[in-house]
Structure formats: structure tokens, C-alpha cells
């Protein structure tokens, strides 16, 4: 049933429950959730919002950068959309990896235009399409651009079509080349969680519970690739951004590609899987490759919980000792459906929750029944990785990792999915 184990963890978060109780219900006596939202708006620094602007008469070929977080640029004469660019330190030949979304049936010869100090230099690029595309017309790809002679530290890069011959275009879009410095230790963050993609999101209560739980587990950074959410959700994201926990990456590919709202074409029309979830995950992996010791890739309604220790800080050394360092650690998916509600055991009690009834969202404390283990338990796993040991990832596991993967014994840790 998963009853007692989940209760044990929930009892560990009494301080979190108190925080949520105050946050939502009684910041001041008699205040409602909406009063708290107004209060938080007043004390928090105004959030920086970056939007993708395309004028009515413009085309995707003239995309305006999103701002300092990410840029999107279409390759003229093709259906290719460029997401971000990262200097690759792990290949024999030094290259820039450009994460892109491509039309899988389209064959394109790419040219890479580098800005190096005050020079512009060219090399030929080659694309590799990720094998996980779930049958959609578009898929995630890596366009690898070898550094030309005399260009060791390019500041930015443009990718063009050799057939279009647009390297001299004065309006050419350039992406900043990130990850200029390779690091092997002393990272700003110990654990980063990549959440993608947030769309039409209104589940405020579970969002707060999950963010607080992740902090107790030792997570320093949560990266949210956001397409759309309710105003209440946005205030919560602003609060945790101001606190330094959350980074919100505006994520809207629909101006370029007909994105699907589902994971399979037959379940939702569109040309790209689930709002572009896979390119978002790959961008997050590389964005935090030299900022975080470990990166976890899972959804906001999922929590990877240790069974023998109380935090990821204690868990990861155990995993490295048992399974080896630099593995892709896979965690079994235990589902707690929200259409079942179970009271806690009589011998255990939880903090009062009555005042949460007006808070929008799912209360994970009310769902203690665990589904029996099915084959889906193993196919829908999620992972924690050393990002420097992974080259590409998908929704469920790394596609290309240096040292392979290991299933984590459920008695050591497993994933709790309250969906």
C-alpha cells in the first residue's frame, strides 16, 4: 500500500506543513490565500518577465530573443528551430553543441558561423536526431559545430543552411555560446531539479508542497520551463524566484511549431511531443552541467524519496558506493492516485489541514494509497544524474550516458508520484 512509508516522510515535513498553513491560510489572522498573494506581491521584488515577441507581420525567421535566459532562432530556408548553444568539452574535437528542433524528414546541410573576438569564422555542422520523438514529425536534435582554427572561445554562433547561403545576412540571429569553462568541482548548486513543461498549471497547493519537500531533500535549485499558468501559480513562482530557489525559463515553441498537448500523436494533435518537453530537458541538462553537481529530471508531481536516509545529500554517496559514480540512477515509479483518499494510521497524526480547502490544487497528504506495481512502474521511471556524464536525455532516462545506468533498489529509494 505504501501507507506507512509515505506517512514516515510526511511526518518529517511538519515544519513545511506549518509554512504552507501560514502561507495560504493565516499570514495575518483572518487572511485568506488571496490576501497572502497580495501581501507577497507588495514585499517581493518585481519579477523579471521575458517574453517572446513576434510582430503580426513578422515570420519565425526574424525571432526576437527571449532575453538573458534563452533565445530561439529559426534557420532560414528550413524547418529547423535553434534552442541554445553550449561549448562541448568532452569530445576529442572541441565543438559547439546546438540544441535544436528539426523536421525529421528534412535533410539539411548546416553551416556554423562563429563570432570569435572580432572575427567571424565558418565550419560545417552535422545534425544527430534523438531517437525519442514518440512518432511526431519534429524531434530534438544536436547540431555539432567543430571549432574552426583560431577560434577556441567563441562568444556566439549562428547556424545556417548551406543551400540558403545566408552567412552574410546582416540580420542573422546569433545564440550565445554557454558553458565556456569546464568544471569538475566547486559547483554553485549541489542538486538541481529540471521541471518541464508547465502549461495551463493551476495546482498551487501541490506546487508549494513539492518545492518545500525538495528543499528538505537538499535541492538548491528548481528550474521550471513555463508555457502558461494561473495568476496564483505565477505569484508562487515569483516568491520562490525571489527566494533564490526557482529559475523560470519562459518556454513557448508554438509560434514556430504546432506543439502537441500529449505524449503521442494519436492522443493529441500536433507536430512536436508535449509542448517541446524533450528539448527543454536537454537544455536544462546543459544549462546546469557546470553549475550543479547533480541534476534530477522529473515532474512537479513526483518526488524521489530515500527509504533509509532523510535527504539526497545522504542518499547520493550511498548510490555511488553501491552502483558506481557517474551512473544514471533510475528510480521506480510508485503511483498514488488522487481519486483515492486514505486517512493516516490511528497511531500517527498530521498537522491540521482544514484551512487548505480553499487553496487550489492537490493535497499530497490526503493520498496515501499506492497502486500495485505494474510494468508501467518500471517504464515511467525518472532519474538523478551527474550531468557531465550525460550527452542527451529523454523524459524517462538518459539516451546517451558515459557510464550507463543502474536501477535503484526500492528499499533504498523510489519515486512517489501523486498524479
Amino acid at each position: 500500500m505504501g501507507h506507512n512509508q509515505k506517512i514516515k516522510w510526511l511526518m518529517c515535513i511538519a515544519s513545511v506543513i506549518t509554512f504552507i498553513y501560514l502561507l495560504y491560510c493565516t499570514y495575518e489572522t483572518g487572511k485568506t490565500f488571496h490576501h497572502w498573494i497580495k501581501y507577497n506581491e507588495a514585499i517581493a521584488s518585481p519579477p523579471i518577465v521575458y517574453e517572446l515577441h513576434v510582430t503580426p507581420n513578422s515570420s519565425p525567421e526574424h525571432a526576437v530573443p527571449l532575453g538573458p535566459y534563452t533565445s530561439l532562432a529559426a534557420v532560414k530556408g528550413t524547418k529547423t528551430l535553434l534552442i541554445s548553444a553550449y561549448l562541448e568539452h568532452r569530445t576529442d574535437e572541441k565543438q559547439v553543441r546546438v540544441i535544436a528542433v528539426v523536421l525529421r524528414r528534412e535533410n539539411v546541410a548546416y553551416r556554423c558561423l562563429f563570432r570569435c573576438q572580432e572575427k567571424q569564422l565558418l565550419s560545417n555542422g552535422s545534425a544527430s536526431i534523438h531517437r525519442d520523438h514518440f512518432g511526431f514529425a519534429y524531434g530534438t536534435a544536436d547540431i555539432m559545430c567543430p571549432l574552426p582554427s583560431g577560434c577556441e572561445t567563441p562568444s556566439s554562433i549562428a547556424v545556417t543552411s548551406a543551400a540558403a547561403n545566408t552567412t552574410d545576412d546582416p540580420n542573422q540571429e546569433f545564440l550565445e555560446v554557454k558553458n565556456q569553462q569546464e568544471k569538475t568541482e566547486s559547483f554553485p548548486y549541489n542538486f538541481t531539479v529540471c521541471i518541464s513543461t508547465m502549461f495551463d498549471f493551476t495546482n498551487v497547493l501541490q506546487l508549494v508542497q513539492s518545492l518545500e519537500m525538495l528543499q528538505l531533500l537538499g535541492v538548491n535549485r528548481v528550474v521550471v520551463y513555463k508555457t502558461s499558468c494561473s495568476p496564483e501559480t505565477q505569484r508562487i513562482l515569483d516568491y520562490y524566484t525571489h527566494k533564490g530557489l526557482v529559475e523560470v525559463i519562459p518556454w513557448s515553441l508554438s509560434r514556430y511549431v504546432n506543439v502537441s498537448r500529449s505524449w503521442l500523436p494519436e492522443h493529441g494533435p500536433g507536430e512536436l511531443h508535449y509542448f517541446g518537453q524533450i528539448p527543454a530537458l536537454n537544455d536544462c541538462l546543459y544549462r546546469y552541467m557546470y553549475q550543479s553537481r547533480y541534476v534530477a529530471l522529473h515532474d512537479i508531481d513526483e518526488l524521489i524519496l530515500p527509504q533509509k536516509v532523510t535527504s539526497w545529500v545522504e542518499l547520493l554517496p550511498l548510490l555511488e558506493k553501491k552502483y558506481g559514480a557517474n551512473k544514471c540512477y533510475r528510480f521506480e515509479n510508485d503511483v498514488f492516485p488522487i481519486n483515492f483518499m486514505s486517512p493516516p494510521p490511528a497511531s500517527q497524526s498530521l498537522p491540521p489541514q482544514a484551512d487548505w480547502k480553499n487553496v487550489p490544487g492537490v493535497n499530497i497528504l490526503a493520498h496515501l494509497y499506492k497502486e500495485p506495481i505494474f510494468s508501467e512502474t518500471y517504464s515511467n521511471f525518472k532519474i538523478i544524474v551527474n550531468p557531465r556524464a550525460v550527452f542527451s536525455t529523454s523524459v524517462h532516462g538518459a539516451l546517451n550516458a558515459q557510464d550507463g545506468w543502474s536501477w535503484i533498489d526500492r528499499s533504498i529509494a523510489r519515486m512517489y508520484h501523486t498524479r
Side-chain angles (χ1 to χ4, degrees):
M1 297 285 285
H3 208 111
N4 293 332
Q5 194 61 46
K6 193 171 186 182
I7 283 290
K8 183 185 78 171
W9 261 107
L10 296 178
M11 294 301 292
C12 292
I13 63 171
S15 61
V16 177
I17 306 308
T18 302
F19 169 81
I20 300 170
Y21 177 79
L22 291 172
L23 187 156
Y24 280 108
C25 312
T26 55
Y27 181 79
E28 295 176 6
T29 303
K31 297 297 185 183
T32 65
F33 164 67
H34 297 286
H35 283 88
W36 184 90
I37 287 294
K38 294 293 185 183
Y39 174 84
N40 184 65
E41 263 189 311
I43 63 170
S45 299
I48 300 174
V49 179
Y50 298 95
E51 299 289 347
L52 178 64
H53 299 287
V54 180
T55 61
N57 297 322
S58 69
S59 72
E61 295 176 352
H62 301 288
V64 179
L66 285 170
Y69 292 126
T70 188
S71 297
L72 303 176
V75 177
K76 292 183 179 181
T78 78
K79 299 294 186 180
T80 300
L81 175 64
L82 308 178
I83 304 297
S84 51
Y86 297 92
L87 195 58
E88 180 58 82
H89 299 276
R90 301 166 297 172
T91 52
D92 293 336
E93 181 184 27
K94 209 167 186 181
Q95 304 176 77
V96 169
R97 181 185 302 269
V98 180
I99 299 172
V101 172
V102 302
L103 183 63
R104 294 190 294 116
R105 66 172 181 267
E106 183 180 54
N107 293 317
V108 180
Y110 295 105
R111 302 295 301 278
C112 305
L113 178 61
F114 296 85
R115 282 178 175 164
C116 300
Q117 288 77 46
E118 297 182 0
K119 300 179 293 184
Q120 290 195 1
L121 300 173
L122 283 167
S123 74
N124 293 323
S126 61
S128 174
I129 300 175
H130 295 199
R131 66 177 183 269
D132 266 14
H133 45 71
F134 296 94
F136 287 93
Y138 282 77
T140 305
D142 294 317
I143 302 175
M144 303 305 296
C145 297
L147 296 187
S149 177
C151 183
E152 295 301 316
T153 55
S155 59
S156 57
I157 188 172
V159 177
T160 68
S161 166
N165 193 25
T166 58
T167 54
D168 294 328
D169 184 355
N171 297 317
Q172 183 66 59
E173 288 283 327
F174 282 80
L175 303 177
E176 177 191 0
V177 177
K178 303 182 180 73
N179 290 358
Q180 293 283 344
Q181 298 296 322
E182 183 179 19
K183 296 180 70 175
T184 57
E185 56 184 17
S186 300
F187 303 100
Y189 306 104
N190 203 24
F191 293 102
T192 294
V193 174
C194 298
I195 304 293
S196 69
T197 52
M198 178 181 279
F199 62 94
D200 297 348
F201 193 90
T202 60
N203 190 357
V204 172
L205 181 54
Q206 188 170 7
L207 173 63
V208 175
Q209 290 176 328
S210 294
L211 290 175
E212 289 296 322
M213 190 67 204
L214 288 172
Q215 290 179 92
L216 289 178
L217 289 168
V219 173
N220 318 100
R221 176 69 94 184
V222 178
V223 187
V224 178
Y225 284 72
K226 191 202 78 174
T227 297
S228 58
C229 68
S230 66
E232 292 84 0
T233 300
Q234 186 59 54
R235 301 299 185 272
I236 297 301
L237 293 174
D238 291 344
Y239 170 82
Y240 284 101
T241 299
H242 179 67
K243 186 177 178 180
L245 175 67
V246 166
E247 179 184 11
V248 175
I249 308 294
W251 188 252
S252 179
L253 307 186
S254 59
R255 291 181 175 94
Y256 301 92
V257 182
N258 180 17
V259 297
S260 175
R261 301 176 70 90
S262 186
W263 70 284
L264 286 176
E266 56 265 35
H267 295 165
E271 299 173 306
L272 180 67
H273 165 267
Y274 208 62
F275 287 89
Q277 182 181 30
I278 297 175
L281 290 172
N282 280 272
D283 178 75
C284 192
L285 178 78
Y286 278 87
R287 184 180 294 264
Y288 279 85
M289 183 166 287
Y290 299 111
Q291 295 190 68
S292 187
R293 182 171 300 279
Y294 303 100
V295 167
L297 305 169
H298 63 72
D299 297 332
I300 199 63
D301 60 356
E302 299 168 332
L303 291 168
I304 295 171
L305 299 183
Q307 304 298 296
K308 298 180 182 297
V309 293
T310 59
S311 72
W312 290 2
V313 178
E314 300 167 283
L315 175 65
L316 266 295
L318 296 179
L319 300 185
E320 291 182 345
K321 182 178 180 180
K322 181 176 178 64
Y323 300 101
N326 299 332
K327 292 283 189 179
C328 173
Y329 301 118
R330 294 179 171 183
F331 298 88
E332 176 187 302
N333 178 31
D334 286 9
V335 175
F336 294 81
I338 63 171
N339 56 333
F340 286 91
M341 298 184 68
S342 301
S347 60
Q348 297 171 313
S349 60
L350 294 172
Q353 305 168 44
D355 288 328
W356 297 1
K357 61 185 178 182
N358 295 322
V359 180
V362 172
N363 176 12
I364 63 175
L365 304 182
H367 305 287
L368 304 178
Y369 169 79
K370 186 181 77 66
E371 289 182 353
I373 296 175
F374 301 111
S375 58
E376 182 184 282
T377 300
Y378 298 98
S379 62
N380 290 344
F381 63 89
K382 294 298 172 67
I383 59 174
I384 297 177
V385 300
N386 168 0
R388 294 159 299 284
V390 177
F391 289 95
S392 61
T393 191
S394 185
V395 182
H396 303 289
L399 297 178
N400 185 3
Q402 284 181 345
D403 297 305
W405 53 268
S406 292
W407 275 107
I408 304 308
D409 189 305
R410 61 179 283 108
S411 68
I412 298 176
R414 66 187 83 153
M415 186 173 73
Y416 287 60
H417 187 183
T418 308
R419 66 181 182 187

